[in-house]
Amino acid sequence: MNPNTPVRLAVFASGEGSNLRNIYQRIHDGELKNVELALVVSNNSRSGALEVARAADIPSRHLSTRTHVDLAKAMLDVLAEFRVNLIVLAGYMKLLPNEVVEAYAGRILNIHPALLPEFGGAEMYGLRVHEAVLAAHRKVSGATVHLVTSNFDEGPIVMQQTCEVRDDDTAQSLQDRVQKVEYDLYPKAIAKVAVNMIERGSGTTTL
Ligand code: GRF
């Protein structure tokens, strides 16, 4: 990659899109440098993430197994069309097709609302994660950004950030605190990976 060329991000999201909104805002405010938001992909045509994209004029696509027989090809085609260097999963509730994981090996990030390797896996999403943390009587939780492999919540950890678990926490109050951590952590982790990609000049990342 050319050192003057920003890393082009595709954010994949299924739900509300608050991490997407935060990443967009940080780029817009000049706090998150060396990247540009090239594309938003959602498997959910009614997702808040697609609304965020439309409101911010970011190109977006609804891609799902319901609308695309060959989802992997549809994803790879649109990623190529928008010259995407780095895929950022932000509340994307599906496993990426293997072809996409292989084509973008080392260049796909995910954020998980707990301190992996604990409290991860296919069943661990939404409030369930925080319920499990409370049931295990942990005093500390937080968020993890990791590289994506073909299994849920596995792959090398890029960055983690912690927050306290309070005695009177509910799953909802803990989720709210962890989400604030995510808004701080994800832009930092994206920046770290982007700088690494630019310095290596190869379009891949090593940690
Ligand atoms: C976040 O808590 C993230 O950790 C998890 O999904 C949630 C997405 O929320 N993977 P939002 O759609 O960004 O608001």
Side-chain angles (χ1 to χ4, degrees):
M1 290 183 66
N2 182 317
N4 299 317
T5 312
V7 170
R8 292 174 61 80
L9 307 183
V11 175
F12 283 47
S14 305
E16 194 186 326
S18 68
N19 274 283
L20 165 64
R21 192 181 304 111
N22 177 59
I23 291 164
Y24 167 76
Q25 200 60 49
R26 300 291 178 110
I27 295 171
H28 187 261
D29 295 347
E31 286 172 43
L32 174 50
K33 299 182 179 58
N34 300 310
V35 301
E36 60 193 0
L37 206 34
L39 177 68
V40 171
V41 172
S42 184
N43 60 306
N44 174 4
S45 61
R46 286 175 296 182
S47 63
L50 287 177
E51 278 173 34
V52 171
R54 281 191 283 269
D57 252 337
I58 307 160
S60 62
R61 294 286 187 275
H62 168 223
L63 300 181
S64 86
T65 44
R66 266 179 248 165
T67 53
H68 292 79
V69 180
D70 191 343
L71 183 62
K73 184 178 183 312
M75 283 182 177
L76 290 171
D77 284 352
V78 77
L79 291 166
E81 180 188 345
F82 287 93
R83 293 174 287 115
V84 168
N85 310 115
L86 180 63
I87 298 175
V88 172
L89 306 185
Y92 187 66
M93 302 302 286
K94 301 281 178 187
L95 275 180
L96 282 178
N98 269 330
E99 293 92 325
V100 176
V101 175
E102 279 162 22
Y104 280 80
R107 295 186 295 145
I108 310 175
L109 298 178
N110 182 43
I111 191 160
H112 184 75
L115 298 174
L116 293 174
E118 284 197 301
F119 309 112
E123 302 301 314
M124 282 291 169
Y125 59 87
L127 287 175
R128 289 179 187 198
V129 179
H130 309 292
E131 281 160 6
V133 171
L134 292 176
H137 303 291
R138 291 288 185 277
K139 295 288 165 221
V140 176
S141 190
T144 304
V145 176
H146 64 97
L147 290 174
V148 169
T149 61
S150 38
N151 297 319
F152 274 116
D153 302 327
E154 291 182 10
I157 289 172
V158 177
M159 270 190 188
Q160 289 184 309
Q161 195 165 314
T162 62
C163 64
E164 64 173 337
V165 179
R166 295 183 191 153
D167 290 343
D168 62 349
D169 262 331
T170 60
Q172 185 62 58
S173 65
L174 182 55
Q175 181 177 61
D176 294 345
R177 194 172 314 113
V178 170
Q179 225 161 26
K180 290 197 183 97
V181 171
E182 292 186 7
Y183 300 154
D184 191 44
L185 176 66
Y186 219 176
K188 283 192 219 161
I190 292 166
K192 176 180 169 178
V193 169
V195 167
N196 180 293
M197 287 172 69
I198 291 169
E199 280 173 357
R200 285 172 56 82
S202 63
T204 59
T205 181
T206 53
L207 298 165

